[in-house]
Amino acid sequence: MLSISNVRRALSPRLSSLSYFSSKATASSSHCDVPNHASVIIVGGGLIGTSVAYHLGKLGMKDVVLLEQDQLTSGTTWHAAGLMTTYGSLSSASIDMRKYTKKLYSEILTEETGLETGFMDCGFIEVACDKDRLHYFRRVAAFNRFLGIDVDEIAPDQVQEKFPLTTKDDILAGFYVAGP
């Protein structure tokens, strides 16, 4: 058992308020009694913290507490949601995790809860502006295609066509993964 009071003391210089979410209760705030002990204490209610809590619950863990200094996903997660990509890795494990996460937010959670997550798969472009980056992105693209990610190498004109706010002067190529 882990002591939540020890975790609170360690974090207290950084906490103006504390919310907690427990697998034994729905949701509570700093005005309620935080449990004294838990088998698992997760610090941070962003994408990773909430995902860890969700998956531990799916595995049957009953004594999980998630601590957050404000409200869920109010930290850096709120502005990073558009960065959920499947492209960009030379690790099959990383790509599998990225594909699963995309499916979790676009399908699984909605099916399980009946609530829309708000996830929008809009696609993205990585640009190569020097020969080393171009070589690297070509390697990444080939590996990602091998694992089922649809990546297109596109010319600078096509990058500007898809994203008109860009200047194409220093772009050698773009690597485009379309949304649905």
Side-chain angles (χ1 to χ4, degrees), residues 110-178:
T110 301
E111 291 169 3
E112 285 184 6
T113 66
L115 302 171
E116 290 294 326
T117 63
F119 176 75
M120 293 186 295
D121 187 8
C122 58
F124 65 95
I125 304 170
E126 290 273 8
V127 294
C129 296
D130 63 53
K131 289 182 181 183
D132 288 339
R133 196 50 119 174
L134 179 62
H135 176 73
Y136 174 75
F137 281 153
R138 283 180 173 157
R139 280 184 57 215
V140 169
F143 184 70
N144 280 241
R145 284 186 203 107
F146 174 73
L147 294 176
I149 306 297
D150 188 18
V151 182
D152 292 322
E153 182 174 340
I154 60 175
D157 288 340
Q158 293 170 295
V159 171
Q160 191 172 47
E161 181 182 305
K162 292 184 182 307
F163 186 65
L165 297 176
T166 192
T167 58
K168 61 182 181 174
D169 302 340
D170 60 345
I171 296 175
L172 299 177
F175 293 82
Y176 177 64
V177 177

Side-chain angles (χ1 to χ4, degrees), residues 58-120:
K58 293 286 286 182
L59 292 171
M61 294 279 309
K62 300 285 186 210
D63 196 13
V64 177
V65 171
L66 185 144
L67 300 173
E68 171 56 49
Q69 69 178 354
D70 192 19
Q71 59 182 333
L72 291 180
T73 71
S74 65
T76 56
T77 292
W78 74 269
H79 64 78
L83 301 176
M84 187 184 304
T85 65
T86 50
Y87 173 81
S89 178
L90 290 171
S91 160
S92 60
S94 174
I95 291 171
D96 286 346
M97 287 174 53
R98 292 169 186 221
K99 287 165 65 173
Y100 167 74
T101 301
K102 185 176 174 180
K103 185 174 181 174
L104 177 68
Y105 285 98
S106 63
E107 298 172 26
I108 297 171
L109 288 175
T110 301
E111 291 169 3
E112 285 184 6
T113 66
L115 302 171
E116 290 294 326
T117 63
F119 176 75
M120 293 186 295

